Amino acid sequence: MKSWFKFGLQMFLGGVVGYTFMYVYLNNETIQVDLTKLVFPLTLLLLLSLLGLIAWGFSRVQRIRRLTKQPLTGDEEDEAEGYMYQAYSDGSLASSLTIILSLTSASFILLTDQSPSFLIATLLSLAVGSILTYSLNTLLPIMYPERSLPKLSDPDYAQRLLDLSDDGEKHVMLQGLYKTNISTTSLMTFAIILLLVYSIVTGDSQLFSIFVVTLIMVFTNVQYIHIIRSKN
Amino acid sequence: MKTKLKELRARFGMNQTELAKRAHISRQTVSLIEREEFMPSLLIAVKIARVFEEPIEEVFQFDEEELQ
């Protein structure tokens, strides 16, 4: 059922993009897209999303702190460990999204000439997002006191954390990364097509963005092949 | 691959967290092995078998078909 839905969605999106492209090409005209009316509501939506993400992220940090303080045994301890793992994953997602959305909001606010107070709010959320990331990292030794985790000041922190992971954890990461890699490649390809169609439809060239997306795709593909090729 | 991990844990009165600590692996790995979603490496299999003082083939069992 899931694969049918995915197939249907791909067909639908392909149809929409194809139809729009052909319509504009055959009629040889450009469509005026007026985004100015959407600027203020979009800014508010972005700022509210950031606020929600920050609240969600810190609620996960609090949940982990509460769980680590509970003296549990038996199946309850296993259950609490599972909840902690999920809360940590949610917190990581919240912090990553906060940083990404903050950067997007800052760019949006700067490019649409909006009130500096919005920009300050966005920069604040960027700082809070970084604090959230830091808080999550400081929780790791509390969650797993028996593991000799690297210090946060370690310049090779991410690599050392990966090295410390056991095979089961790496298996989970591989599954996640493999699926993410496939969807990233498809989405990037779709982004290039979308940017091309947008450029033609509006007459507003997105060539620079197409080059940037292409460069990222080339870099990630070359990096992946370079890593696996050397392990023969 | 089948595993007697859950059964052995119950016999030794050990939860997943405790087994993970004793075997120096993560609880997530113990959970994955028990749910038969992950086949452990030889090193992890030895670490787990040692905790229960059992030979590896007592803890992890393969069907004949898998070994063909």
Side-chain angles (χ1 to χ4, degrees):
Chain A
M1 189 69 189
K2 239 180 174 178
S3 60
W4 273 106
F5 176 75
K6 198 177 160 190
F7 180 70
L9 190 70
Q10 280 172 342
M11 290 293 285
F12 175 73
L13 287 174
V16 170
V17 171
Y19 176 79
T20 314
F21 184 79
M22 284 316 289
Y23 176 83
V24 171
Y25 181 73
L26 292 172
N27 289 281
N28 196 24
E29 60 186 48
T30 54
I31 297 167
Q32 293 299 312
V33 180
D34 186 15
L35 292 172
T36 48
K37 285 177 188 165
L38 290 172
V39 168
F40 185 69
L42 264 176
T43 310
L44 278 185
L45 185 71
L46 281 168
L47 290 175
L48 281 173
S49 309
L50 282 169
L51 203 66
L53 281 169
I54 289 167
W56 183 45
F58 279 104
S59 76
R60 300 297 87 189
V61 170
Q62 281 308 107
R63 185 172 167 79
I64 295 169
R65 281 194 205 282
R66 269 201 307 273
L67 285 165
T68 52
K69 282 175 188 162
Q70 286 176 358
L72 300 169
T73 53
D75 289 344
E76 281 181 344
E77 188 183 13
D78 290 344
E79 221 169 280
E81 282 265 339
Y83 287 141
M84 261 199 303
Y85 174 78
Q86 281 174 349
Y88 187 85
S89 307
D90 293 345
S92 301
L93 177 66
S95 70
S96 310
L97 290 181
T98 302
I99 291 168
I100 293 166
L101 274 186
S102 296
L103 286 171
T104 310
S105 305
S107 317
F108 186 68
I109 290 162
L110 278 172
L111 292 173
T112 51
D113 277 333
Q114 289 183 76
S115 163
S117 54
F118 286 150
L119 186 64
I120 293 167
T122 305
L123 293 176
L124 268 175
S125 63
L126 184 65
V128 176
S130 307
I131 293 169
L132 181 60
T133 310
Y134 180 79
S135 307
L136 283 161
N137 287 338
T138 55
L139 280 177
L140 277 176
I142 304 167
M143 288 165 70
Y144 307 109
E146 69 283 358
R147 300 179 86 162
S148 51
L149 296 159
K151 285 185 180 167
L152 283 173
S153 54
D154 195 321
D156 234 0
Y157 181 78
Q159 182 61 45
R160 285 189 199 280
L161 210 56
L162 177 67
D163 293 341
L164 269 173
S165 306
D166 68 20
D167 292 349
E169 291 168 319
K170 283 178 182 164
H171 171 79
V172 172
M173 280 187 240
L174 177 66
Q175 279 192 324
L177 287 171
Y178 185 71
K179 284 177 187 167
T180 309
N181 181 47
I182 291 171
S183 60
T184 305
T185 307
S186 314
L187 287 170
M188 291 283 218
T189 310
F190 181 70
I192 292 174
I193 297 167
L194 202 65
L195 287 166
L196 173 68
V197 172
Y198 181 87
S199 301
I200 294 168
V201 169
T202 63
D204 184 9
S205 173
Q206 301 295 310
L207 202 57
F208 180 70
S209 308
I210 293 173
F211 275 136
V212 172
V213 175
T214 307
L215 270 177
I216 294 170
M217 281 183 79
V218 169
F219 177 77
T220 51
N221 277 283
V222 169
Q223 189 183 26
Y224 175 71
I225 296 297
H226 175 72
I227 292 168
I228 60 161
R229 196 173 174 272
S230 59
K231 310 284 180 198
N232 59 352
Chain B
M1 186 198 76
K2 300 264 177 254
T3 175
K4 281 187 180 176
L5 213 54
K6 210 170 178 177
E7 190 187 317
L8 284 162
R9 272 201 308 108
R11 203 193 298 164
F12 280 71
M14 227 183 266
N15 65 12
Q16 290 180 340
T17 310
E18 212 177 326
L19 170 61
K21 280 178 188 167
R22 289 199 195 186
H24 301 289
I25 57 174
S26 65
R27 190 205 60 87
Q28 189 180 36
T29 300
V30 176
S31 173
L32 286 170
I33 297 169
E34 277 190 7
R35 295 201 306 263
E36 294 175 5
E37 286 178 23
F38 169 64
M39 196 184 289
S41 65
L42 195 56
L43 179 67
I44 288 180
V46 171
K47 283 178 173 182
I48 291 172
R50 271 195 181 179
V51 173
F52 298 116
E53 294 174 350
E54 293 274 2
I56 295 181
E57 54 269 36
E58 263 305 302
V59 187
F60 304 102
Q61 286 141 5
F62 291 94
D63 291 335
E64 259 319 300
E65 277 177 26
E66 286 176 293
L67 298 170
Q68 295 296 312

